Amino acid sequence: MSLVDFRLWDSVWIRRSLLLSVVMKLPCSVCRSLWFLLLLGAGSLLLLARLQNLTETLQRQTPGVNVLMAPRWPLEKDEVTDSAAAGNLSPSDLGQQQLPLSVFSDSSPPTFDESSVGSKPPVTKRHRKLLLKTGAEVERRTEPVRTQVLSSRRRLLSEVCARYQPGVMTQPVTQRQVSRIYVEDRFRLLYCEVPKAGCSNWKRVLMVLGGSATSTRAIPHDAAHYANRLRRLESYDQAGIAERLRSYTKVLFVREPFERLVSAFRDKFESPNSYYHPVFGRPIISRYRVNASRIALRTGAGVTFREFVQYLLDVHRPVGMDIHWEPVSQLCNPCLLRYNFIGKFEDLQEEANFLLRSVGAPRNLSFPDFKDRNPLAERTSSSITQKYFSQLNSTERQKAFDFYYMDYLMFNYPKPFKDLH
């Protein structure tokens, strides 16, 4: 017992003795009642003093702290509505789960408002564990919504395929149809390469997963494309192809079609390129430019965006199709292969990292967000895409939209211009 408790008890005992001498002179029935009340009061006083002593001790240790309350994350109605639109789900699709659909981002631990708990409260190991546990709990709460977004995309793709390409869904798979798919056997992944939709960084990730590199940062652009040592699905026999298509996670990342097209044009024709300028540029200039200069015909440099679109839409185009602008609906055969994971370039890092965590990738591996090819050039955005397509007339824009119509339909991208039909 502490000194404070002893002194308090001694004071209570003296008062009890005085009261006892008075109580003894009263009748028995009254005596017993008063005696009970006296003991109850003495015990209450002792308990109250003990609690006060503990409170003072705590206040000396953590000045200014009265109550430690768990942090809350209130959700506004507009936040749920806007997030649902971004994830291709209506608010009604969410059911009773009032969670934001920006759910593919890693949940960060909550932070305390310092104004409510003093200027700089100490953060103990126990607090850190509590915060990390709380953050993990929030991440677990968002996973069902992530799954719902992915299910919505797969469901839409199945509906479009059933309506527009019903015969494709039952056809046997050929090696040519899986020629763009990379295999990662250790983590049982199949990734279809879609140029201008993050494919360079995806190849880096696959190299790290496969053990041929230790860091995505250490892999140059050319090494990612030409020295990646990644195996394609077409290199397996029919049994190997069928087994991997059946049991591996099939991954597809897509991008807004017009934006992907502009990104490809800027990369291949506005920057020096020893392959695309002579192989594509020269025949494009020769066919679609009136009074082309000798140097343009010789080098193939300086192709305009309108000339490029004319080539794209020409059924008798002077040079063949290229994977950088081939529609994803043809490049990756989504109706035939039925991808498990359909991600979008617009949320590339968040969705790619969610996928990596889902397949058990190392925790220190995250999807890279650097651009090492033409790093000084501004990334192609929707506003830049609008500027390029404003160089075309409405008929040319409509024909380009028709060219990518199945991509817009399969992956639920809105019409980029109001006058399109």
Side-chain angles (χ1 to χ4, degrees):
M1 183 180 294
S2 66
L3 182 59
V4 174
D5 293 343
F6 181 83
R7 289 174 179 173
L8 179 64
W9 179 257
D10 187 54
S11 174
V12 172
W13 182 260
I14 293 171
R15 293 174 187 175
R16 176 184 170 278
S17 300
L18 292 173
L19 286 173
L20 184 59
S21 63
V22 175
V23 169
M24 293 299 292
K25 299 178 182 179
L26 295 175
C28 270
S29 59
V30 177
C31 221
R32 282 192 296 268
S33 300
L34 287 177
W35 180 251
F36 174 77
L37 291 174
L38 180 62
L39 290 176
L40 181 63
S44 300
L45 285 173
L46 183 59
L47 179 61
L48 180 61
R50 184 61 176 167
L51 289 174
Q52 184 176 0
N53 185 33
L54 286 173
T55 302
E56 290 172 354
T57 303
L58 285 174
Q59 287 179 340
R60 285 195 298 270
Q61 291 176 351
T62 53
V65 179
N66 293 324
V67 181
L68 181 63
M69 298 186 67
R72 298 178 65 231
W73 296 269
L75 275 179
E76 299 295 334
K77 182 178 179 181
D78 292 342
E79 182 182 0
V80 176
T81 305
D82 295 343
S83 299
N88 302 329
L89 285 177
S90 64
S92 60
D93 292 329
L94 294 174
Q96 300 301 317
Q97 290 179 311
Q98 296 299 307
L99 294 171
L101 280 182
S102 56
V103 292
F104 293 97
S105 60
D106 291 332
S107 301
S108 57
T111 57
F112 287 109
D113 180 4
E114 291 189 357
S115 62
S116 66
V117 294
S119 58
K120 288 196 175 183
V123 180
T124 65
K125 289 183 178 180
R126 182 176 177 275
H127 286 162
R128 290 191 183 97
K129 289 180 179 179
L130 177 62
L131 295 180
L132 292 173
K133 182 178 179 181
T134 308
E137 179 63 27
V138 172
E139 187 171 352
R140 285 195 296 272
R141 285 166 53 201
T142 60
E143 284 183 3
V145 188
R146 295 177 180 176
T147 304
Q148 193 171 5
V149 172
L150 296 172
S151 297
S152 175
R153 292 175 185 171
R154 290 196 304 269
R155 184 167 59 250
L156 173 64
L157 178 61
S158 296
E159 291 171 357
V160 172
C161 291
R163 181 174 180 181
Y164 293 94
Q165 300 181 16
V168 173
M169 301 175 72
T170 58
Q171 290 178 358
V173 178
T174 66
Q175 289 180 309
R176 184 188 63 81
Q177 290 167 326
V178 297
S179 60
R180 306 312 313 177
I181 294 180
Y182 287 93
V183 180
E184 208 305 291
D185 282 315
R186 292 176 63 184
F187 290 87
R188 304 172 68 82
L189 278 177
L190 299 179
Y191 165 71
C192 185
E193 174 188 21
V194 178
K196 315 314 298 179
C199 74
S200 299
N201 282 334
W202 262 117
K203 289 176 182 177
R204 290 183 172 100
V205 168
L206 293 176
M207 291 172 69
V208 173
L209 289 176
S212 60
T214 58
S215 169
T216 56
R217 284 276 177 189
I219 306 172
H221 181 272
D222 287 348
H225 285 283
Y226 310 119
N228 54 50
R229 289 186 253 174
L230 298 173
R231 194 169 177 181
R232 296 178 190 263
L233 189 56
E234 65 175 344
S235 65
Y236 294 84
D237 58 22
Q238 287 293 335
I241 292 174
E243 173 59 23
R244 285 165 177 78
L245 287 174
R246 184 190 65 80
S247 60
Y248 283 20
T249 300
K250 300 183 288 292
V251 179
L252 173 64
F253 270 80
V254 298
R255 185 177 186 178
E256 203 284 332
F258 275 12
E259 188 174 307
R260 177 174 168 247
L261 181 67
V262 171
S263 178
F265 171 76
R266 295 177 69 204
D267 182 30
K268 304 307 178 187
F269 295 101
E270 289 187 344
S271 302
N273 193 295
S274 60
Y275 174 77
Y276 282 91
H277 288 186
V279 174
F280 285 86
R282 285 193 295 203
I284 287 175
I285 292 173
S286 176
R287 185 175 180 89
Y288 306 109
R289 184 178 298 181
V290 178
N291 298 323
S293 66
R294 287 185 178 180
I295 189 171
L297 291 171
R298 179 169 54 84
T299 63
V303 173
T304 67
F305 185 65
R306 168 168 273 174
E307 291 168 343
F308 174 63
V309 172
Q310 285 179 299
Y311 143 77
L312 184 72
L313 302 177
D314 191 345
V315 293
H316 302 294
R317 61 179 68 94
V319 62
M321 184 55 62
D322 184 82
I323 63 171
H324 287 82
W325 43 84
E326 185 175 2
V328 179
S329 54
Q330 300 173 18
L331 184 67
C332 292
N333 300 287
C335 289
L336 176 66
L337 301 181
R338 304 187 185 187
Y339 291 88
N340 308 104
F341 192 105
I342 302 172
K344 290 199 170 183
F345 179 83
E346 291 73 21
D347 296 302
L348 176 59
Q349 263 201 303
E350 292 85 355
E351 299 195 4
N353 284 328
F354 173 55
L355 172 62
L356 291 175
R357 303 289 81 79
S358 300
V359 300
R363 295 294 298 182
N364 61 349
L365 174 62
S366 59
F367 194 84
D369 187 32
F370 58 83
K371 177 184 179 185
D372 61 349
R373 183 173 173 83
N374 303 321
L376 299 180
E378 185 180 358
R379 290 179 185 267
T380 302
S381 61
S382 58
S383 59
I384 290 178
T385 300
Q386 292 279 331
K387 290 178 182 178
Y388 276 83
F389 272 88
S390 66
Q391 301 172 25
L392 310 180
N393 58 42
S394 58
T395 300
E396 291 168 330
R397 285 198 297 268
Q398 181 63 51
K399 288 181 178 179
F401 180 72
D402 293 341
F403 185 83
Y404 288 106
Y405 180 70
M406 289 307 298
D407 280 14
Y408 276 100
L409 203 60
M410 286 179 172
F411 308 117
N412 199 23
Y413 282 106
K415 294 179 181 179
F417 290 91
K418 294 181 179 178
D419 59 351
L420 297 172
H421 55 79

